[in-house]
Amino acid sequence: MAEADVQPAPRSGPSKIVVILSVLLAAVATGSAVYFLTAEKRGAAPAEVQGENPPSKMPAAYVKLDPPFVANFEARGAMRFLQVSVEVMTRDVATADAIKQHDPIIRNDLLMLFGNQSYESISKPEGKEQLRAQALEAVRKIITEQGGAGAKVEQIYFTSFVMQ
């Protein structure tokens, strides 16, 4: 009968383990948050900020220079034509507005640039890339001369490039 009088002890083990694990998890989460939020003050930046694309970057805005550019040039005694569709990329609203406002100046300078090309140079990928870089510098220069932030013109893209 002595065995019948023995009652099992109440089970309190799992609930204590859950409480302890919850407290530890909260402490680790709090410590991690404090570490990453104060990383800049310590002189170290979190890994995301050190990368090429920080999360605080504004979305890209593309300004299409319409209609496409058409330029003619001579190649080995024959008249050749070039048609280029161009879009300008920036992440700055004021710069996008400046590109639109100064479209006539940009179009003029890009037409002059496109018309001064040789067929031999722009028929190769390296020549097209060099022309794109020159066009980017031309647009940056115009925006800067007109009082804008030319450095905020990030890229120029040729969305169509036809030679005849």
Side-chain angles (χ1 to χ4, degrees):
M1 288 251 185
E3 289 178 25
D5 291 340
V6 176
Q7 294 182 359
R11 301 181 86 193
S12 61
S15 64
K16 286 181 182 178
I17 291 174
V18 170
V19 170
I20 291 171
L21 287 177
S22 297
V23 169
L24 285 174
L25 183 62
V28 169
T30 303
S32 296
V34 169
Y35 174 79
F36 285 110
L37 291 175
T38 61
E40 281 186 40
K41 292 178 185 174
R42 291 190 318 270
E48 300 89 19
V49 177
Q50 292 175 352
E52 289 182 21
N53 297 322
S56 63
K57 228 179 197 186
M58 297 295 295
Y62 298 92
V63 179
K64 186 173 189 172
L65 302 179
D66 217 12
F69 293 86
V70 178
N72 55 352
F73 54 92
E74 191 175 335
R76 296 185 201 142
M79 188 58 69
R80 296 284 190 162
F81 294 93
L82 172 67
Q83 180 179 339
V84 183
S85 296
V86 177
E87 292 198 34
V88 183
M89 186 190 93
T90 183
R91 295 180 193 279
D92 181 57
V93 175
T95 302
D97 291 341
I99 293 166
K100 292 173 192 171
Q101 180 181 359
H102 301 295
D103 180 73
I105 302 169
I106 293 170
R107 292 188 67 78
N108 176 72
D109 287 11
L110 290 182
L111 273 172
M112 295 298 166
L113 177 65
F114 295 152
N116 284 323
Q117 301 304 306
S118 71
Y119 179 80
E120 291 77 26
S121 68
I122 60 175
S123 63
K124 300 174 186 167
E126 303 84 25
K128 289 180 182 111
E129 180 57 34
Q130 183 180 8
L131 180 59
R132 191 190 65 75
Q134 290 172 342
L136 175 61
E137 287 308 311
V139 172
R140 284 178 174 165
K141 180 181 175 193
I142 292 165
I143 297 301
T144 301
E145 287 174 351
Q146 298 302 317
K152 291 187 177 181
V153 175
E154 288 186 37
Q155 283 297 337
I156 276 195
Y157 297 105
F158 295 156
T159 55
S160 173
F161 196 96
V162 179
M163 290 190 304
Q164 212 174 21

